[in-house]
Amino acid sequence: MTVHHILGAGVMGLCTAVELAGRGAAVMLHDPAGLPGPHHCSWWAGGMLAPFCESETAEAIVGTEGRRAADWWQTQGALVTRAGTLVVAPGRDRAELDRFARRTRGHVWLTGAEATALEPLLEGRFPRALFFEEEAHLNPRQALAALVTRAQALGVGFTTDPAPPGPVVDCRGLAARDLLPDLRGVKGEMLLLQAPGLHLSRPVRFLHPRIPLYIVPRGPGLFMIGATMIESAERGRASVRSLLELLTAAYALHPAFGEAEVVEIGHDARPAFPDNTPALRQLPGRLCLNGLYRHGYLMAPWLARRAADLLTPDLPTTHLPTGETA
Amino acid sequence: MAAFYGIDLASPFMLGTALYPSPAVMASAFRASGASVATVSVRRESAAGGDFWAIIQGLGVHLLPNTAGCHSVKEAVTTAHMAREIFDTNWIKLEVIGHADTLQPDPFGLVEAARILSEDGFQVFPYMTEDLVLADRLLDAGCEVLMPWGAPIGTGLGLLNPYALRSLRAHFPDVPMVIDAGLGLPSQAAQAMEMGFDAVLLNTAVARAGDPVAMAQAFARALEAGQLARSADPIEPRDMAAPSTPLIGKANLA
């Protein structure tokens, strides 16, 4: 039987591995750095499955195909929370909320009281909010671990050795710039805050004229705040300016975040193509799945399915929940 | 059209490169705009942003690096030097921000930085308020182009002080002037051209529009209309109606 050799054990490589193995193919996953960890950019992601919100600026495919992501992750054993997304704006940027509503679908307007009913923490903070009920979120590190478990159960081999000569599926992210000259890095910085006693049930997006900031709950008292967007392939440091912006957003959401403990400062660079849309590209002997940009967890399942369709046309596709097309 | 430090521009449209949904959309917007100049911000951390800069250089237009986000003379001067090294141009759009909330230029720091940079061979495009005296000082400092704001950056409010802009234009008829910042609609850009300004510089109005490419085209057409109107010598406004056909000698058909 043909063995499919996948390069890179980040979210794209793992999704492709379980998709192929789930269809009955033999798969070997190669990553010199080993299992998923801080060396992968997907380790630092927000984990929002927010096809409607992302459609504010993303190409249409992100909205349509992204809607199937939550079901895919659940099928693979990842813990997906389907509680929607709440979008708010500080008083001076109120017009941003109207603009966001005009540019997106799948939302309802909430009064301040209705938003408080969903998230008691927001009591008295915002006079109105947008609620995207169908959106979901997951914890990226748990989700990656769930994929590793699933891949191992399906017989996927993991190795730090290079792939043997022959066809490969290239999921190396930014490292694939050696072969994809139009791939660029977009730097992102994030924070993990420990704030005992504070509770959110769903991601809250905080509109900002320059970058969309968000706070994602990661379990009791733990919050991820992300993420900056800087045109740079620099991965190694977080700047004071960026941290100020992230912390200001948290503080503006609720001053109680001022007492939180900074647990982690993350920084990495997202691989992106010029249209910021994930894509599958065929090079001689190599199928490249890359350019996930801000949409790793949202769009990797889609690219993985397309890759599996191409690589194993004779194998039955796994049962897929049908995405709504409306 | 006026020359900017000896450079004749094919179009009075100067367009920024920030805030677009993607570099691909930005490139399409530039093509649709016919813009002759692209502004680009320079930050230390974007030194690793070579890929994005390569895309901007690939637009095939003149590059005008800026010192956006600089709050002191020293910062602005350092950034200008970085920009000159990276983009190999003496052009610099000089921003010295005086107020973090309104992003209003600091006129005092601006004059000082303009003098330092001009003496160092830079060709300075100063982002300034519409103040007449400030304009005079900037010209003394060595600037040969002025860039008065229409309104604070990103507000889209248009030309907030047409009176002062008119008098600026009238006092320095031969200085190339660019309306920089605050434009939200093509009609405002047309107004600037009708008033005799030589170019406009904008970013947010195009980049954050629902369809940046269509908006870029809309601005291009408005600029062309405004330029044409200016050269066509518009009529003066007057208080009383002026009939366009004679009233005397009309046939009495009653």
Side-chain angles (χ1 to χ4, degrees):
Chain A
M1 191 158 99
T2 314
V3 177
H4 296 278
H5 293 277
I6 300 175
L7 312 183
V11 68
M12 190 67 254
L14 280 168
C15 284
T16 310
V18 300
E19 185 66 33
L20 279 169
R23 298 183 188 197
V27 178
M28 182 64 87
L29 194 55
H30 303 261
D31 194 320
L35 291 175
H39 44 276
H40 289 117
C41 132
S42 40
W43 186 257
W44 306 104
M48 289 182 300
L49 302 174
F52 295 99
C53 286
E54 289 298 321
S55 292
E56 185 222 355
T57 51
E59 298 287 331
I61 189 85
V62 175
T64 51
E65 289 300 331
R67 294 180 71 176
R68 305 168 75 174
D71 289 342
W72 189 92
W73 282 104
Q74 213 152 23
T75 311
Q76 305 304 337
L79 188 65
V80 176
T81 308
R82 294 167 187 267
T85 305
L86 214 51
V87 181
V88 297
R92 54 186 287 175
D93 295 326
R94 207 162 293 161
E96 293 288 320
L97 203 57
D98 293 310
R99 180 178 172 281
F100 197 84
R102 278 203 314 278
R103 305 264 170 91
T104 53
R105 296 183 306 118
H107 54 69
V108 290
W109 281 103
L110 300 186
T111 62
E114 288 165 337
T116 303
L118 287 175
E119 297 291 359
L121 184 64
L122 300 186
E123 185 174 10
R125 309 286 314 156
F126 302 95
R128 54 191 194 136
L130 286 169
F131 183 43
F132 293 78
E133 194 174 3
E134 288 177 52
E135 295 190 334
H137 68 280
L138 48 71
N139 180 333
R141 297 173 195 179
Q142 274 175 10
L144 292 172
L147 283 191
V148 171
T149 306
R150 170 100 172 129
Q152 283 166 340
L154 290 168
V156 172
F158 287 82
T159 175
T160 53
D161 295 334
V168 291
V169 184
D170 187 338
C171 302
R172 290 179 297 147
L174 208 48
R177 276 206 290 183
D178 53 352
L179 296 173
L180 301 169
D182 61 344
L183 197 66
R184 74 186 200 286
V186 180
K187 181 179 171 180
E189 292 137 301
M190 59 79 87
L191 290 169
L192 270 184
L193 299 185
Q194 182 84 58
L198 298 190
H199 178 79
L200 287 176
S201 300
R202 54 186 58 73
V204 177
R205 285 194 184 227
F206 198 73
L207 297 186
H208 179 288
R210 275 178 299 119
I211 42 172
L213 297 165
Y214 47 80
I215 299 190
V216 189
R218 284 276 170 87
L222 197 59
F223 300 88
M224 182 269 187
I225 305 181
T228 54
M229 307 264 284
I230 298 164
E231 286 290 345
S232 167
E234 180 184 84
R235 303 177 61 191
R237 65 178 190 122
S239 75
V240 168
R241 182 189 297 115
S242 295
L243 298 191
L244 272 172
E245 284 186 355
L246 295 175
L247 290 169
T248 304
Y251 191 76
L253 192 73
H254 202 288
F257 276 106
E259 299 297 318
E261 177 191 344
V262 178
V263 179
E264 196 176 288
I265 298 173
H267 38 81
D268 210 321
R270 315 165 177 90
F273 287 124
D275 60 0
N276 290 346
T277 306
L280 178 153
R281 292 206 190 154
Q282 285 179 286
L283 298 178
R286 185 176 289 254
L287 189 61
C288 299
L289 310 177
N290 216 318
L292 275 296
Y293 183 53
R294 288 166 56 92
H295 311 307
Y297 291 81
L298 192 61
M299 296 302 279
W302 169 65
L303 276 187
R305 285 200 306 269
R306 284 184 58 201
D309 289 346
L310 271 173
L311 294 166
T312 61
D314 304 329
L315 293 178
T317 57
T318 44
H319 170 71
L320 289 175
T322 44
E324 290 171 63
T325 49
Chain B
M1 205 173 125
F4 298 84
Y5 291 102
I7 303 287
D8 290 310
L9 299 177
S11 147
F13 201 169
M14 302 184 177
L15 189 54
T17 54
L19 301 171
Y20 292 85
S22 70
V25 172
M26 176 186 79
S28 300
F30 265 85
R31 278 192 296 275
S33 72
S36 56
V37 171
T39 58
V40 52
S41 75
V42 180
R43 287 273 173 83
R44 187 168 289 114
E45 69 188 322
S46 42
D51 297 327
F52 185 63
W53 289 343
I55 293 172
I56 293 171
Q57 277 163 327
L59 295 171
V61 298
H62 292 280
L63 293 188
L64 177 56
N66 66 41
T67 62
C70 291
H71 285 257
S72 71
V73 172
K74 199 176 165 202
E75 237 183 321
V77 169
T78 307
T79 306
H81 279 275
M82 239 163 67
R84 179 153 77 178
E85 270 173 43
I86 295 162
F87 293 107
D88 193 27
T89 173
N90 284 324
W91 279 17
I92 188 76
K93 176 187 159 185
L94 182 59
E95 285 187 32
V96 182
I97 299 301
H99 193 268
D101 244 18
T102 62
L103 300 177
Q104 179 160 343
D106 169 356
F108 310 99
L110 186 65
V111 172
E112 193 183 335
R115 177 166 291 116
I116 294 169
L117 290 172
S118 296
E119 283 171 2
D120 204 3
F122 282 91
Q123 298 174 320
V124 178
F125 293 64
Y127 166 61
M128 58 183 283
T129 53
E130 72 282 6
D131 190 278
L132 195 59
V133 180
L134 173 60
D136 218 7
R137 297 286 159 87
L138 285 167
L139 295 172
D140 285 348
C143 297
E144 294 175 22
V145 171
L146 296 176
M147 299 227 282
W149 67 353
I153 295 174
T155 57
L157 291 171
L159 308 181
L160 284 183
N161 194 348
Y163 165 77
L165 289 172
R166 267 196 199 94
S167 73
L168 198 59
R169 179 72 285 179
H171 274 82
F172 305 104
D174 301 322
V175 177
M177 276 192 224
V178 186
I179 294 291
D180 176 14
L183 300 186
L185 285 169
S187 52
Q188 298 157 353
Q191 189 192 1
M193 300 309 288
E194 287 159 4
M195 286 165 68
F197 287 93
D198 300 286
V200 301
L201 195 167
L202 54 101
N203 188 344
T204 312
V206 166
R208 299 268 286 162
D211 184 342
V213 180
M215 192 57 90
Q217 204 174 8
F219 269 99
R221 293 185 187 176
L223 286 165
E224 194 189 341
Q227 226 175 358
L228 203 57
R230 173 73 178 182
S231 67
D233 189 12
I235 61 163
E236 291 299 327
R238 45 174 287 152
D239 290 336
M240 291 296 290
S244 52
T245 50
L247 292 176
I248 301 164
K250 233 166 52 168
N252 190 346
L253 302 175

